[in-house]
């Protein structure tokens, strides 16, 4: 990865503000960067994440018609011609309108051109359930995109990672899907290192240490898993929470190493259980020949559409209490 031309500073930022800081940094250090999408320019984004870009960088940050296929199609072409577009798809659900542009075009450019062309574009979107999100604004679709060779995928959970992973994505010559979470945008502010070196893709984080079970998770579920691990620690159950903010490339080695130490595996994600990336994580651990003390489990949203009523939706998405209960059964029931 190249060195940043922006000097390193530290600022106290929320998750959404950290994304904004990364975009400002990228617009400054990479003149070929464009930022666009629905309500991205003048309004500053539906969640305020792109505020100030239009004012500071002019026509390099602009609004588009309500046409995801046009947004992604133009981004593929611009990337092939030397630009680094950062396009926003307001809700991950709406990316389905542009599947052809993402799956058949962006992910294929390098291969079908024999390496003569690349598509260095970044797709920013957000997913996850929020109050009243309902069925068409709440789907967690990371597993769908992880099935596509040539497409990188990450899901940051902290302000620092929200900044760093986006910077890495835009510097990459591959198309990258950066999946944010609306429930994190306006969370507590943290000290964020802005500027400095561009970090490589991949890696994982141990968010909580323990020796009785490994919980693998990503995105907004990370902090619910940590809360569950802290609760279980008061009962004498030690849970190691491994967060994998990069899902492609995925840090299989770190996950396998943790499960070898603990002997038990739970994968937690907000997405529906069936077909979720949790199944792939389980397959990789089992395929590595890890001897387990109990069958692995997946904790996710049941295979139903998300109801509009917040009280009903809250019962479906995994929370700390449910995660703790599943892991407690895994440990005590598998002894």
């Amino acid at each position: 990865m190249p060195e940043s031309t922006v000097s390193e500073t530290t600022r106290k930022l929320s998750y959404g503000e950290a994304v904004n800081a990364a975009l400002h940094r990228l617009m400054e250090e990479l003149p070929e960067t464009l930022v666009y999408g629905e309500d991205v320019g003048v309004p500053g984004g539906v969640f305020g994440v792109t505020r100030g870009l239009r004012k500071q960088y002019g026509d390099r940050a602009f609004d588009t018609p309500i046409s995801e296929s046009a947004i992604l199609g133009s981004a593929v072409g611009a990337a092939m011609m030397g630009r680094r577009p950062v396009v926003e798809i307001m809700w991950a659900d709406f990316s389905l309108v542009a599947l052809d542009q993402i799956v058949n075009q962006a992910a294929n450019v390098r291969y079908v051109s024999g390496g003569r062309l690349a598509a260095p574009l970044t797709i920013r979107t957000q997913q996850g359930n929020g109050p009243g999100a309902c069925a068409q604004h709440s789907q967690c679709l990371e597993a769908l995109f992880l099935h596509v060779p040539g497409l990188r995928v990450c899901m940051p959970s902290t302000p620092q990672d929200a900044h760093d992973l986006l910077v890495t994505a835009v510097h990459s010559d591959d198309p990258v899907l950066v999946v944010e979470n609306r429930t994190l945008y306006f969370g507590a502010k943290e000290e964020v290192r802005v500027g400095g070196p561009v970090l490589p893709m991949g890696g994982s984080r141990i968010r909580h240490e323990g020796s009785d079970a490994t919980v693998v998770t990503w995105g907004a579920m990370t902090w619910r898993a940590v809360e569950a691990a802290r609760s279980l620690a008061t009962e004498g159950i030690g849970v190691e929470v491994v967060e994998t903010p990069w899902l492609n490339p995925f840090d299989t080695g770190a996950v396998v190493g943790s499960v070898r130490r603990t002997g038990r595996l739970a994968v937690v994600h907000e997405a529906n259980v069936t077909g979720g990336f949790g199944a792939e994580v389980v397959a990789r651990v089992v395929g590595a020949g890890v001897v387990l003390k109990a069958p692995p489990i997946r904790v996710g949203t049941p295979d139903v559409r998300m109801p509009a009523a917040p009280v009903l939706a809250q019962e479906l998405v995994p929370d700390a209490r449910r995660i703790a209960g599943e892991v407690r059964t895994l440990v005590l029931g598998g002894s």
Side-chain angles (χ1 to χ4, degrees):
M1 284 288 181
E3 290 295 317
S4 171
T5 59
V6 177
S7 58
E8 184 173 335
T9 59
T10 301
R11 295 161 54 189
K12 200 160 190 177
L13 302 171
S14 68
Y15 185 101
E17 290 170 340
V19 175
N20 182 268
L23 291 170
H24 276 277
R25 165 185 171 167
L26 290 159
M27 295 286 270
E28 182 178 338
E29 71 183 7
L30 296 173
E32 66 270 31
T33 300
L34 303 172
V35 175
Y36 62 95
E38 297 163 16
D39 294 334
V40 162
V42 175
V46 68
F47 297 102
V49 173
T50 56
R51 283 180 185 150
L53 294 176
R54 174 80 179 184
K55 182 177 181 180
Q56 187 162 346
Y57 301 102
D59 290 343
R60 290 172 58 204
F62 58 92
D63 298 308
T64 68
I66 302 175
S67 175
E68 285 74 20
S69 58
I71 293 168
L72 266 298
S74 65
V76 174
M80 290 169 64
M81 297 304 293
R83 294 286 194 166
R84 289 186 181 269
V86 183
V87 295
E88 178 178 311
I89 302 300
M90 195 177 290
W91 274 266
D93 314 66
F94 300 168
S95 65
L96 301 178
V97 180
L99 273 186
D100 180 67
Q101 286 77 12
I102 300 171
V103 176
N104 289 332
Q105 297 178 30
N108 271 332
V109 166
R110 190 188 294 276
Y111 178 74
V112 299
S113 70
R116 294 187 300 274
L117 294 172
L121 70 93
T122 300
I123 305 165
R124 280 189 51 253
T125 192
Q126 54 80 30
Q127 67 179 26
N129 184 60
C134 203
Q136 292 181 319
H137 297 76
S138 61
Q139 297 173 93
C140 294
L141 301 173
E142 67 269 20
L144 187 156
F145 293 103
L146 287 163
H147 189 67
V148 182
L151 185 64
R152 306 295 190 177
V153 181
C154 64
M155 294 181 64
S157 72
T158 67
Q160 186 66 66
D161 274 352
H163 172 277
D164 291 349
L165 271 59
L166 180 56
V167 170
T168 297
V170 178
H171 275 271
S172 170
D173 287 335
D174 290 322
V176 183
L177 179 66
V178 180
V179 184
E180 298 156 7
N181 192 291
R182 80 192 68 180
T183 65
L184 300 176
Y185 280 134
F186 307 109
K189 296 188 177 187
E190 299 177 8
E191 292 293 333
V192 176
R193 183 185 63 259
V194 178
V198 180
L199 302 178
M201 288 185 181
S204 57
R205 321 272 191 264
I206 295 180
R207 296 299 188 184
H208 191 276
E209 295 184 348
S211 59
D212 294 317
T214 295
V215 169
V216 179
T217 190
W218 46 84
M221 289 294 104
T222 299
W223 304 111
R224 298 187 183 192
V226 168
E227 183 182 348
R230 290 171 176 165
S231 173
L232 290 170
T234 65
E235 305 173 22
I237 299 174
V239 177
E240 184 155 284
V241 178
V242 181
E243 181 197 10
T244 53
W246 282 99
L247 297 178
N248 182 15
F250 186 75
D251 194 353
T252 302
V255 170
V256 168
S258 176
V259 181
R260 286 193 195 280
R261 292 192 297 272
T262 66
R264 300 179 180 90
L265 170 64
V267 187
V268 178
H269 54 61
E270 188 172 347
N272 301 117
V273 172
T274 299
F277 192 65
E280 176 67 22
V281 176
V282 170
R284 293 191 186 197
V285 170
V286 173
V290 178
V291 178
L292 296 172
K293 300 175 183 177
I297 63 171
R298 293 172 291 160
V299 183
T301 298
D303 298 333
V304 299
R305 308 307 299 187
M306 193 61 64
V311 67
L312 296 179
Q314 187 175 332
E315 290 299 310
L316 297 176
V317 178
D319 59 11
R321 177 187 56 80
R322 179 176 153 205
I323 296 168
E326 298 267 9
V327 175
R328 182 185 298 110
T329 300
L330 173 69
V331 174
L332 300 181
S335 299

